[in-house]
Amino acid sequence: MIGTLAVDLLLVSILIGLAWQVVRGRVLFRAIVFFVAFGLIMAMIWGRLGVPDLALAEAAIGAGLTGALMLGAFRRLVEIDARQAVSGGLRPSPRLSLLLSLLAGLLVAVLGLAGLELRGGSGEAGRAALDSLHLTGLGNPVSAVLLLFRGLDTVFEMLVLLGAFLGARHVAERDRRSGAAIASHRLPMVGALQMTVVPLALVVALHLLRAGANDPGGAFQAGAVLAAGGVLLTLTGRVVPQAQAGLLTRFSLIFGTLMLAGSGIVPLIYGGVLMAPPGKTAIYAIEAAMMVSIGVTLSLLFSASAGLRAVRS
Amino acid sequence: MTAELYVFAAAAVFGIGVHGLLIARHLMRKLLAVNLMLSAVFLLLLLFSTPIGGKPDPIPQALVLTGIVIAVSSTAFALALMVRLFRLSGRATLPRFEPDDD
């Protein structure tokens, strides 16, 4: 008992220390690195709280891809102007902001403790989800909630991801197409790294997809791992950003949303109900489509381009 | 006991996030602070759920998972806006509006 409390205390103190470093660290680059570390500690905390699905998502998306996006944007800023003029800018006095943040923290603490007091309700939605889990053929209740019970939410979630991509695409420079790679894949070590990591990312993504039906995992985690492979391919110059997207790229961006929304609508044609649970095979097909869409969207967000084209070695 | 400890952690991280959002000049630093606040909220959302039959409630888990994906989407869009602002104005900070500036 004391041992587990010690682990919790250690995780919490590291988490708070890293958060402080993210905010107060002197150098922006280091703040981003600390943020990635913060995400990994969050993933460990999700694991401690018994929610491995969230641990996987936090490690892959929260720490991994957000960190990659931040570092990518940081590099673009340095390329434009290394001096990074940040003088001026709107901000309150440090004393006022310290007071406000203390009040905000206090408010969250009080709300949090009150929320803990209110626990012990029936949790009816969760109970209903667990009770009808056997109807879906899935073993992982989180996957069942995401794809079936709250499938409409997930359709909109995919649309938000697509909307973010379209928005980022719209504000990005249209004529930028080169300069994404930092080390050529023709260098022996870089090539070896890429040849090891990219297939590994593919295998891990497929495993997460397959496992997601019964064990922790699912389309979002798998898509994020797939995007990690895409990020590495971009950084090593194996694929180059394109100003215009090909038809295949455009289709793969919306493939997952189409499959998920289609699986909800198609039963209507056959006289069924809207969003009736499809069979397990259909769920795998939907999740695979979503994985491809999420992976492609996140890869393109990282390279800030409309499409990617492979380079012949 | 463990839940109270993590509530304390969420409150501390949220407070630090607010502090960072207020005092940071660089927009990317502000974005990092917002992401810290998001993590604190996700943590609270899960802590509030009642375990069912010894297992964590799947609904809050699905909600937090959705939240994580939305967070990365909005962060990516915000970063694109920041890069554009920097390219156009040479600054990665918010402009200071004067009261009589219209």
Side-chain angles (χ1 to χ4, degrees):
Chain A
M1 199 59 215
I2 297 293
T4 59
L5 186 65
V7 172
D8 288 328
L9 271 174
L10 191 65
L11 283 175
V12 164
S13 43
I14 295 174
L15 189 80
I16 295 172
L18 286 173
W20 184 253
Q21 283 296 322
V22 169
V23 164
R24 295 299 293 175
R26 205 160 279 280
V27 187
L28 180 59
F29 177 78
R30 280 183 48 172
I32 301 172
V33 175
F34 278 122
F35 177 75
V36 174
F38 174 90
L40 291 175
I41 296 293
M42 267 310 283
M44 289 174 76
I45 287 177
W46 292 129
R48 287 283 302 156
L49 294 173
V51 285
D53 288 275
L54 292 183
L56 287 171
E58 183 77 41
I61 305 173
L65 268 164
T66 310
L69 286 168
M70 292 270 184
L71 288 173
F74 179 77
R75 196 173 133 233
R76 278 189 196 100
L77 293 189
V78 173
E79 278 172 1
I80 299 168
D81 182 3
R83 282 174 297 125
Q84 306 255 343
V86 289
S87 59
L90 189 65
R91 71 171 194 179
S93 75
R95 196 173 293 171
L96 179 64
S97 75
L98 200 62
L99 178 71
L100 287 174
S101 55
L102 275 176
L103 285 176
L106 205 63
L107 181 69
V108 172
V110 171
L111 282 176
L113 291 177
L116 287 189
E117 287 292 314
L118 292 174
R119 273 195 319 179
S122 55
E124 268 178 54
R127 200 177 293 276
L130 286 177
D131 284 346
S132 33
L133 188 62
H134 63 276
L135 299 175
T136 64
L138 295 176
N140 181 355
V142 181
S143 292
V145 170
L146 276 175
L147 291 172
L148 303 170
F149 301 135
R150 298 184 68 92
L152 196 60
D153 281 4
T154 310
V155 172
F156 287 122
E157 177 184 359
M158 297 289 289
L159 288 177
V160 167
L161 187 61
L162 186 65
F165 168 71
L166 292 176
R169 190 57 223 118
H170 191 71
V171 296
E173 296 291 299
R174 292 213 170 258
D175 51 357
R176 264 191 87 259
R177 49 163 55 204
S178 60
I182 52 166
S184 170
H185 62 279
R186 294 192 177 84
L187 295 172
M189 290 303 279
V190 178
L193 176 80
Q194 178 204 294
M195 273 193 285
T196 319
V197 175
V198 174
L200 199 63
L202 193 62
V203 170
V204 171
L206 288 174
H207 168 75
L208 284 171
L209 183 73
R210 192 200 62 80
N214 292 312
D215 298 309
F220 289 101
Q221 293 92 336
V225 173
L226 203 62
V231 167
L232 190 68
L233 287 176
T234 312
L235 287 178
T236 54
R238 198 73 178 75
V239 295
V240 287
Q242 297 290 300
Q244 289 295 323
L247 206 58
L248 188 65
T249 310
R250 286 173 197 229
F251 181 69
S252 57
L253 283 172
I254 56 168
F255 187 33
T257 317
L258 283 182
M259 284 286 280
L260 184 60
S263 76
I265 295 169
V266 162
L268 279 183
I269 301 169
Y270 299 105
V273 292
L274 185 67
M275 307 204 87
K280 199 169 176 180
T281 320
I283 290 176
Y284 273 126
I286 296 163
E287 284 215 284
M290 283 170 63
M291 175 186 79
V292 170
S293 285
I294 295 161
V296 170
T297 312
L298 291 173
S299 302
L300 289 178
L301 273 174
F302 176 76
S303 66
S305 62
L308 294 167
R309 188 174 55 82
V311 175
R312 290 182 197 288
S313 48
Chain B
M1 184 61 216
T2 315
E4 278 87 355
L5 183 65
Y6 283 113
V7 164
F8 169 71
V13 170
F14 192 88
I16 292 171
V18 171
H19 185 58
L21 182 64
L22 288 174
I23 61 155
R25 295 180 195 275
H26 201 295
L27 280 172
M28 191 181 278
R29 189 82 76 141
K30 283 189 193 288
L31 262 178
L32 286 169
V34 170
N35 270 288
L36 292 183
M37 290 160 69
L38 280 168
S39 285
V41 172
F42 294 153
L43 192 53
L44 276 187
L45 191 57
L46 194 91
L47 287 171
F48 286 173
S49 67
T50 316
I52 299 165
K55 286 183 192 158
D57 190 340
I59 307 277
Q61 289 187 59
L63 289 178
V64 171
L65 219 159
T66 306
I68 291 175
V69 176
I70 303 287
V72 74
S73 306
S74 51
T75 302
F77 181 48
L79 284 171
L81 284 175
M82 183 197 70
V83 171
R84 180 73 183 202
L85 177 76
F86 192 66
R87 199 182 288 277
L88 290 178
S89 72
R91 292 192 172 278
T93 55
L94 290 177
R96 187 191 292 273
F97 291 108
E98 301 300 332
D100 54 348
D101 191 34
D102 52 358

